Amino acid sequence: MTPQTLGPRLGRIDALRTRLGDPAHWTVKEVGDGNLNLVFIVQSPQGGVVVKQALPYVRLVGESWPLPLRRSFFEYNALIRHEARDPGSVPEVYHFDETQAIVVMEYLSDHVILRQSLMAGKQHAGLGRRLGEFCARTLFRGSDLSMQTARRKADLALFAGNVELCDITEALVFTDPYFDAPLNRFTPQLAPVVAELRADTDLKIAAQHLKMAFANNAETLLHGDLHTGSVMVSDAEARVIDPEFATYGPMGFDVGMLISNFLMAYVAQPGHAEKPGARAGYQDWLLAEVAVLWQTFSDEFTQLWRTERTGMLYPATLFEDQAHGAAAEQARLDRLAAIWRDALGFCGVEMHRRILGLAHIAEFDKIGDDAARAGLEARALRLGRVLAVARGQINDIRQVLDLTRAIGGEGSK
Ligand code: SR1
Ligand code: MG
């Protein structure tokens, strides 16, 4: 679609004419700046909608990298599940056109992409709490801890079709950063650190263990690409967008990716500071929100474990009904410990791929001075290495924040 063809096409849909009025008065602009899709804002005197359309190729690379349109189908299906599992957490979906690979949804006119806000140094009250809730609710309620297993297996089969998007993650996150892959790109001054990381066999083993977990541990429906570019924020709330990478995978994946992007925002802050040291307080806020995010995830997961454990796993018939409630709590702690360990590993490799691979993040790329950028990126690379390799020895979020200050903070060597 183009801004010229979209209006006449959508104007034929009753639900949209009701919402926006006469198509003759609509204006359409394309605003997408992501790696894969077209995004249009359609406005009329009555209101607005967002229209996301999948392209048959990777926008970032071009037609040489074809990508199936059916990712739009997975995105739509994930959005409606996220809404059911955590109401109000995603944009409302108004219309889905599978043939055109189009999702029409709520226009969040008061919201901005969280990554932009974090670069600008803006605080959002309740952000870590809301994102922790989202992760716990969607991950718990999409799993065999909660769902009837026939429904979960049907969903598992449905999302197993999202092969090409999983393939992107499997290559770009877990493999490409650790060798001289053709699509890699990085700041030239990083060459010595890159050589160090590529010679680090413990790190390569860790990345492959994590890849195996991602590809084989189908615990729950993941968002699949939960970084700070997949969250929109206003002063009042946060919404999670873009779940086209949705697939069944390990619970720690979404949580780890999200925390990673907050920690990278922390490391990159000096590159966006108005003057040296000006973002120190903001960095403290970022780390405090990470702590809240993990604590909320853990608390909400605990609450759901105690009140909504209706799936086939760890059934009450084996525990509470046998007066073994304490054992159910013991099992919960085991599960949370496994999620934590996985999350730290995913957090670490996400740092590497966002600096060394194809898909970078604006926090680093927007730092104009190559030497300054490389210095900050090197800190994030080293932090990522420790998180991925030593994830079994890091016991709590306090230690993660401490490591982030020590390795990723100003003054680190
Ligand atoms: C080729 S797509 C590269 C990246 O963009 C998406 O947002 C995902 O993060 C993917 O890994
Ligand atoms: Mg995206």
Short mmCIF file of all heavy atoms in Angstrom, two decimals, residues 165-214:
data_model
loop_
_atom_site.label_atom_id
_atom_site.label_comp_id
_atom_site.label_asym_id
_atom_site.label_seq_id
_atom_site.Cartn_x
_atom_site.Cartn_y
_atom_site.Cartn_z
N LEU A 165 10.64 -15.64 11.09
CA LEU A 165 10.95 -14.63 12.10
C LEU A 165 11.82 -15.24 13.19
O LEU A 165 12.75 -14.60 13.69
CB LEU A 165 9.67 -14.02 12.67
CG LEU A 165 8.93 -12.97 11.82
CD1 LEU A 165 9.49 -11.60 12.03
CD2 LEU A 165 8.84 -13.30 10.36
N CYS A 166 11.52 -16.50 13.57
CA CYS A 166 12.39 -17.19 14.53
C CYS A 166 13.78 -17.33 13.97
O CYS A 166 14.79 -17.16 14.68
CB CYS A 166 11.84 -18.58 14.86
SG CYS A 166 10.37 -18.53 15.87
N ASP A 167 13.86 -17.62 12.67
CA ASP A 167 15.15 -17.80 12.02
C ASP A 167 15.99 -16.50 12.13
O ASP A 167 17.20 -16.55 12.34
CB ASP A 167 14.91 -18.19 10.56
CG ASP A 167 16.20 -18.42 9.81
OD1 ASP A 167 17.00 -19.25 10.29
OD2 ASP A 167 16.42 -17.77 8.78
N ILE A 168 15.31 -15.36 12.00
CA ILE A 168 16.02 -14.08 12.16
C ILE A 168 16.64 -14.00 13.55
O ILE A 168 17.81 -13.69 13.73
CB ILE A 168 15.07 -12.89 11.91
CG1 ILE A 168 14.72 -12.79 10.42
CG2 ILE A 168 15.67 -11.58 12.42
CD1 ILE A 168 13.73 -11.68 10.09
N THR A 169 15.82 -14.29 14.56
CA THR A 169 16.33 -14.22 15.94
C THR A 169 17.45 -15.23 16.15
O THR A 169 18.50 -14.91 16.74
CB THR A 169 15.18 -14.48 16.93
OG1 THR A 169 14.14 -13.53 16.67
CG2 THR A 169 15.63 -14.36 18.37
N GLU A 170 17.24 -16.45 15.67
CA GLU A 170 18.25 -17.49 15.90
C GLU A 170 19.60 -17.12 15.28
O GLU A 170 20.65 -17.37 15.87
CB GLU A 170 17.72 -18.83 15.35
CG GLU A 170 16.64 -19.41 16.26
CD GLU A 170 15.58 -20.26 15.56
OE1 GLU A 170 15.74 -20.55 14.35
OE2 GLU A 170 14.60 -20.63 16.22
N ALA A 171 19.55 -16.50 14.11
CA ALA A 171 20.81 -16.11 13.45
C ALA A 171 21.35 -14.80 14.03
O ALA A 171 22.51 -14.73 14.44
CB ALA A 171 20.59 -15.97 11.95
N LEU A 172 20.49 -13.78 14.07
CA LEU A 172 20.99 -12.44 14.42
C LEU A 172 21.36 -12.28 15.89
O LEU A 172 22.26 -11.51 16.23
CB LEU A 172 19.94 -11.38 14.05
CG LEU A 172 20.13 -10.70 12.68
CD1 LEU A 172 20.30 -11.70 11.56
CD2 LEU A 172 18.99 -9.74 12.39
N VAL A 173 20.64 -12.99 16.77
CA VAL A 173 20.90 -12.82 18.20
C VAL A 173 21.97 -13.80 18.70
O VAL A 173 22.87 -13.41 19.44
CB VAL A 173 19.61 -13.01 19.02
CG1 VAL A 173 19.89 -12.92 20.53
CG2 VAL A 173 18.57 -11.96 18.61
N PHE A 174 21.86 -15.06 18.27
CA PHE A 174 22.66 -16.08 18.95
C PHE A 174 23.91 -16.52 18.18
O PHE A 174 24.74 -17.22 18.74
CB PHE A 174 21.79 -17.32 19.22
CG PHE A 174 20.61 -17.03 20.10
CD1 PHE A 174 19.32 -16.96 19.58
CD2 PHE A 174 20.79 -16.83 21.46
CE1 PHE A 174 18.23 -16.70 20.39
CE2 PHE A 174 19.70 -16.56 22.29
CZ PHE A 174 18.42 -16.50 21.75
N THR A 175 24.00 -16.19 16.91
CA THR A 175 25.10 -16.74 16.12
C THR A 175 25.96 -15.65 15.46
O THR A 175 27.17 -15.60 15.67
CB THR A 175 24.54 -17.69 15.03
OG1 THR A 175 23.76 -18.68 15.68
CG2 THR A 175 25.66 -18.38 14.27
N ASP A 176 25.33 -14.78 14.68
CA ASP A 176 26.10 -13.82 13.87
C ASP A 176 27.09 -12.95 14.67
O ASP A 176 28.20 -12.71 14.18
CB ASP A 176 25.15 -12.90 13.09
CG ASP A 176 24.47 -13.64 11.94
OD1 ASP A 176 24.66 -14.87 11.82
OD2 ASP A 176 23.75 -12.98 11.16
N PRO A 177 26.72 -12.47 15.87
CA PRO A 177 27.68 -11.59 16.55
C PRO A 177 29.00 -12.27 16.88
O PRO A 177 30.00 -11.59 17.12
CB PRO A 177 26.95 -11.21 17.85
CG PRO A 177 25.52 -11.46 17.57
CD PRO A 177 25.46 -12.60 16.61
N TYR A 178 29.02 -13.61 16.86
CA TYR A 178 30.19 -14.33 17.35
C TYR A 178 31.09 -14.86 16.24
O TYR A 178 31.97 -15.67 16.49
CB TYR A 178 29.72 -15.45 18.32
CG TYR A 178 28.87 -14.85 19.41
CD1 TYR A 178 27.47 -15.03 19.44
CD2 TYR A 178 29.43 -14.01 20.37
CE1 TYR A 178 26.69 -14.41 20.40
CE2 TYR A 178 28.66 -13.38 21.33
CZ TYR A 178 27.28 -13.59 21.35
OH TYR A 178 26.51 -12.97 22.30
N PHE A 179 30.82 -14.43 15.01
CA PHE A 179 31.76 -14.70 13.91
C PHE A 179 31.58 -13.60 12.86
O PHE A 179 30.74 -12.72 13.02
CB PHE A 179 31.57 -16.12 13.33
CG PHE A 179 30.42 -16.25 12.35
CD1 PHE A 179 30.69 -16.47 10.99
CD2 PHE A 179 29.11 -16.17 12.76
CE1 PHE A 179 29.63 -16.60 10.08
CE2 PHE A 179 28.06 -16.30 11.86
CZ PHE A 179 28.33 -16.51 10.51
N ASP A 180 32.37 -13.69 11.81
CA ASP A 180 32.37 -12.61 10.82
C ASP A 180 31.21 -12.80 9.83
O ASP A 180 31.43 -13.05 8.64
CB ASP A 180 33.73 -12.62 10.10
CG ASP A 180 33.90 -11.42 9.19
OD1 ASP A 180 33.16 -10.43 9.36
OD2 ASP A 180 34.78 -11.49 8.30
N ALA A 181 30.00 -12.69 10.32
CA ALA A 181 28.82 -12.91 9.47
C ALA A 181 28.65 -11.75 8.49
O ALA A 181 28.95 -10.59 8.83
CB ALA A 181 27.57 -13.05 10.34
N PRO A 182 28.18 -12.04 7.27
CA PRO A 182 28.14 -11.01 6.22
C PRO A 182 27.35 -9.75 6.59
O PRO A 182 27.72 -8.66 6.16
CB PRO A 182 27.47 -11.73 5.04
CG PRO A 182 27.52 -13.18 5.34
CD PRO A 182 27.72 -13.35 6.82
N LEU A 183 26.28 -9.88 7.36
CA LEU A 183 25.44 -8.70 7.63
C LEU A 183 25.89 -7.90 8.86
O LEU A 183 25.32 -6.85 9.17
CB LEU A 183 23.98 -9.12 7.79
CG LEU A 183 23.30 -9.64 6.52
CD1 LEU A 183 21.91 -10.19 6.83
CD2 LEU A 183 23.22 -8.54 5.46
N ASN A 184 26.89 -8.40 9.56
CA ASN A 184 27.36 -7.67 10.75
C ASN A 184 27.87 -6.29 10.39
O ASN A 184 28.40 -6.08 9.29
CB ASN A 184 28.51 -8.43 11.42
CG ASN A 184 28.04 -9.63 12.21
OD1 ASN A 184 26.85 -9.81 12.44
ND2 ASN A 184 28.99 -10.46 12.61
N ARG A 185 27.75 -5.37 11.32
CA ARG A 185 28.39 -4.04 11.16
C ARG A 185 28.64 -3.51 12.56
O ARG A 185 27.82 -3.72 13.47
CB ARG A 185 27.50 -3.10 10.35
CG ARG A 185 26.10 -2.95 10.88
CD ARG A 185 25.13 -2.43 9.83
NE ARG A 185 23.78 -2.41 10.37
CZ ARG A 185 23.18 -1.32 10.85
NH1 ARG A 185 23.77 -0.16 10.84
NH2 ARG A 185 21.94 -1.39 11.32
N PHE A 186 29.78 -2.89 12.74
CA PHE A 186 30.08 -2.31 14.06
C PHE A 186 31.07 -1.17 13.94
O PHE A 186 31.76 -1.02 12.92
CB PHE A 186 30.57 -3.38 15.05
CG PHE A 186 31.76 -4.18 14.59
CD1 PHE A 186 33.05 -3.69 14.71
CD2 PHE A 186 31.58 -5.45 14.02
CE1 PHE A 186 34.15 -4.42 14.30
CE2 PHE A 186 32.66 -6.19 13.60
CZ PHE A 186 33.96 -5.68 13.73
N THR A 187 31.14 -0.35 14.97
CA THR A 187 32.05 0.79 15.00
C THR A 187 33.50 0.27 14.87
O THR A 187 33.89 -0.59 15.66
CB THR A 187 31.87 1.55 16.34
OG1 THR A 187 30.47 1.82 16.53
CG2 THR A 187 32.65 2.85 16.34
N PRO A 188 34.26 0.76 13.89
CA PRO A 188 35.59 0.19 13.62
C PRO A 188 36.50 0.13 14.85
O PRO A 188 37.25 -0.82 15.02
CB PRO A 188 36.16 1.12 12.56
CG PRO A 188 34.99 1.76 11.92
CD PRO A 188 33.91 1.83 12.95
N GLN A 189 36.42 1.14 15.73
CA GLN A 189 37.30 1.15 16.92
C GLN A 189 37.05 -0.03 17.86
O GLN A 189 37.81 -0.27 18.78
CB GLN A 189 37.11 2.45 17.72
CG GLN A 189 37.73 3.68 17.09
CD GLN A 189 36.76 4.40 16.15
OE1 GLN A 189 35.85 3.80 15.58
NE2 GLN A 189 36.96 5.69 15.98
N LEU A 190 35.96 -0.76 17.62
CA LEU A 190 35.65 -1.90 18.49
C LEU A 190 36.42 -3.17 18.10
O LEU A 190 36.33 -4.18 18.79
CB LEU A 190 34.15 -2.24 18.44
CG LEU A 190 33.20 -1.30 19.18
CD1 LEU A 190 31.76 -1.72 18.92
CD2 LEU A 190 33.49 -1.32 20.68
N ALA A 191 37.18 -3.12 17.01
CA ALA A 191 37.81 -4.33 16.48
C ALA A 191 38.54 -5.17 17.54
O ALA A 191 38.35 -6.40 17.59
CB ALA A 191 38.73 -3.99 15.31
N PRO A 192 39.35 -4.56 18.44
CA PRO A 192 40.04 -5.40 19.44
C PRO A 192 39.06 -6.12 20.38
O PRO A 192 39.26 -7.29 20.72
CB PRO A 192 40.90 -4.40 20.22
CG PRO A 192 41.00 -3.19 19.35
CD PRO A 192 39.76 -3.14 18.52
N VAL A 193 38.00 -5.43 20.79
CA VAL A 193 37.01 -6.07 21.69
C VAL A 193 36.27 -7.18 20.94
O VAL A 193 35.98 -8.24 21.51
CB VAL A 193 35.98 -5.04 22.22
CG1 VAL A 193 35.15 -5.64 23.34
CG2 VAL A 193 36.66 -3.78 22.67
N VAL A 194 35.97 -6.93 19.68
CA VAL A 194 35.26 -7.94 18.89
C VAL A 194 36.13 -9.19 18.76
O VAL A 194 35.66 -10.33 18.94
CB VAL A 194 34.89 -7.38 17.49
CG1 VAL A 194 34.29 -8.47 16.62
CG2 VAL A 194 33.93 -6.22 17.63
N ALA A 195 37.42 -9.00 18.53
CA ALA A 195 38.34 -10.14 18.42
C ALA A 195 38.35 -10.92 19.74
O ALA A 195 38.31 -12.16 19.76
CB ALA A 195 39.74 -9.66 18.06
N GLU A 196 38.36 -10.18 20.83
CA GLU A 196 38.35 -10.80 22.17
C GLU A 196 37.08 -11.66 22.35
O GLU A 196 37.14 -12.81 22.78
CB GLU A 196 38.31 -9.64 23.17
CG GLU A 196 38.84 -9.84 24.55
CD GLU A 196 38.65 -8.51 25.32
OE1 GLU A 196 39.35 -7.51 25.03
OE2 GLU A 196 37.75 -8.47 26.17
N LEU A 197 35.95 -11.11 21.97
CA LEU A 197 34.68 -11.83 22.16
C LEU A 197 34.60 -13.06 21.24
O LEU A 197 34.11 -14.12 21.65
CB LEU A 197 33.48 -10.92 21.91
CG LEU A 197 33.27 -9.77 22.90
CD1 LEU A 197 32.07 -8.94 22.49
CD2 LEU A 197 33.08 -10.29 24.32
N ARG A 198 35.08 -12.90 20.02
CA ARG A 198 34.99 -14.03 19.08
C ARG A 198 35.95 -15.16 19.45
O ARG A 198 35.75 -16.30 19.04
CB ARG A 198 35.26 -13.55 17.66
CG ARG A 198 34.09 -12.73 17.14
CD ARG A 198 34.23 -12.49 15.66
NE ARG A 198 33.17 -11.60 15.21
CZ ARG A 198 33.28 -10.79 14.16
NH1 ARG A 198 34.41 -10.76 13.46
NH2 ARG A 198 32.27 -10.03 13.81
N ALA A 199 36.99 -14.82 20.23
CA ALA A 199 37.94 -15.86 20.68
C ALA A 199 37.47 -16.50 21.99
O ALA A 199 38.11 -17.43 22.49
CB ALA A 199 39.32 -15.24 20.87
N ASP A 200 36.38 -16.02 22.51
CA ASP A 200 35.92 -16.43 23.83
C ASP A 200 34.98 -17.64 23.68
O ASP A 200 33.78 -17.50 23.45
CB ASP A 200 35.18 -15.23 24.45
CG ASP A 200 34.79 -15.45 25.89
OD1 ASP A 200 34.66 -16.62 26.31
OD2 ASP A 200 34.62 -14.44 26.59
N THR A 201 35.56 -18.82 23.83
CA THR A 201 34.75 -20.02 23.58
C THR A 201 33.67 -20.23 24.65
O THR A 201 32.60 -20.77 24.35
CB THR A 201 35.65 -21.28 23.46
OG1 THR A 201 36.55 -21.30 24.55
CG2 THR A 201 36.42 -21.25 22.15
N ASP A 202 33.93 -19.79 25.88
CA ASP A 202 32.88 -19.89 26.91
C ASP A 202 31.65 -19.08 26.49
O ASP A 202 30.51 -19.49 26.70
CB ASP A 202 33.39 -19.37 28.26
CG ASP A 202 34.38 -20.33 28.90
OD1 ASP A 202 34.39 -21.52 28.50
OD2 ASP A 202 35.15 -19.88 29.77
N LEU A 203 31.93 -17.92 25.89
CA LEU A 203 30.82 -17.07 25.46
C LEU A 203 30.06 -17.72 24.30
O LEU A 203 28.82 -17.70 24.26
CB LEU A 203 31.36 -15.69 25.04
CG LEU A 203 30.35 -14.70 24.48
CD1 LEU A 203 29.23 -14.43 25.50
CD2 LEU A 203 31.03 -13.39 24.09
N LYS A 204 30.80 -18.31 23.37
CA LYS A 204 30.11 -18.95 22.23
C LYS A 204 29.26 -20.13 22.71
O LYS A 204 28.15 -20.35 22.22
CB LYS A 204 31.14 -19.42 21.19
CG LYS A 204 31.77 -18.26 20.45
CD LYS A 204 32.38 -18.66 19.13
CE LYS A 204 33.69 -19.39 19.29
NZ LYS A 204 34.38 -19.54 17.99
N ILE A 205 29.79 -20.88 23.68
CA ILE A 205 29.01 -22.00 24.22
C ILE A 205 27.75 -21.45 24.91
O ILE A 205 26.64 -21.96 24.72
CB ILE A 205 29.86 -22.84 25.20
CG1 ILE A 205 30.96 -23.58 24.42
CG2 ILE A 205 28.99 -23.83 25.97
CD1 ILE A 205 32.02 -24.23 25.32
N ALA A 206 27.95 -20.40 25.70
CA ALA A 206 26.79 -19.81 26.40
C ALA A 206 25.73 -19.37 25.39
O ALA A 206 24.53 -19.63 25.55
CB ALA A 206 27.24 -18.61 27.25
N ALA A 207 26.16 -18.71 24.31
CA ALA A 207 25.20 -18.22 23.30
C ALA A 207 24.46 -19.39 22.66
O ALA A 207 23.25 -19.29 22.38
CB ALA A 207 25.93 -17.39 22.26
N GLN A 208 25.15 -20.48 22.43
CA GLN A 208 24.48 -21.63 21.82
C GLN A 208 23.56 -22.35 22.81
O GLN A 208 22.50 -22.85 22.43
CB GLN A 208 25.51 -22.59 21.20
CG GLN A 208 26.19 -22.00 19.97
CD GLN A 208 25.19 -21.57 18.90
OE1 GLN A 208 24.46 -22.39 18.34
NE2 GLN A 208 25.13 -20.27 18.62
N HIS A 209 23.95 -22.42 24.09
CA HIS A 209 23.01 -22.96 25.10
C HIS A 209 21.73 -22.12 25.11
O HIS A 209 20.61 -22.66 25.18
CB HIS A 209 23.63 -22.91 26.50
CG HIS A 209 24.70 -23.95 26.76
ND1 HIS A 209 24.77 -25.14 26.09
CD2 HIS A 209 25.72 -23.96 27.66
CE1 HIS A 209 25.81 -25.85 26.54
NE2 HIS A 209 26.40 -25.15 27.50
N LEU A 210 21.90 -20.82 25.01
CA LEU A 210 20.73 -19.93 25.03
C LEU A 210 19.89 -20.09 23.76
O LEU A 210 18.66 -20.05 23.79
CB LEU A 210 21.18 -18.48 25.20
CG LEU A 210 21.76 -18.18 26.60
CD1 LEU A 210 22.64 -16.95 26.57
CD2 LEU A 210 20.62 -18.01 27.62
N LYS A 211 20.59 -20.29 22.64
CA LYS A 211 19.87 -20.50 21.38
C LYS A 211 19.04 -21.79 21.47
O LYS A 211 17.89 -21.85 21.01
CB LYS A 211 20.86 -20.58 20.23
CG LYS A 211 20.25 -20.76 18.86
CD LYS A 211 21.35 -20.75 17.80
CE LYS A 211 20.82 -20.83 16.39
NZ LYS A 211 21.92 -20.73 15.40
N MET A 212 19.64 -22.80 22.07
CA MET A 212 18.91 -24.06 22.22
C MET A 212 17.66 -23.84 23.09
O MET A 212 16.58 -24.34 22.76
CB MET A 212 19.82 -25.11 22.86
CG MET A 212 19.17 -26.45 23.03
SD MET A 212 20.38 -27.69 23.45
CE MET A 212 19.34 -28.77 24.40
N ALA A 213 17.84 -23.09 24.16
CA ALA A 213 16.67 -22.80 25.01
C ALA A 213 15.61 -22.05 24.22
O ALA A 213 14.41 -22.36 24.29
CB ALA A 213 17.11 -22.00 26.24
N PHE A 214 16.03 -21.05 23.45
CA PHE A 214 15.06 -20.26 22.67
C PHE A 214 14.31 -21.15 21.67
O PHE A 214 13.09 -21.07 21.54
CB PHE A 214 15.78 -19.13 21.92
CG PHE A 214 14.87 -18.38 20.98
CD1 PHE A 214 13.96 -17.45 21.47
CD2 PHE A 214 14.89 -18.63 19.62
CE1 PHE A 214 13.09 -16.78 20.61
CE2 PHE A 214 14.03 -17.96 18.74
CZ PHE A 214 13.12 -17.04 19.25
#
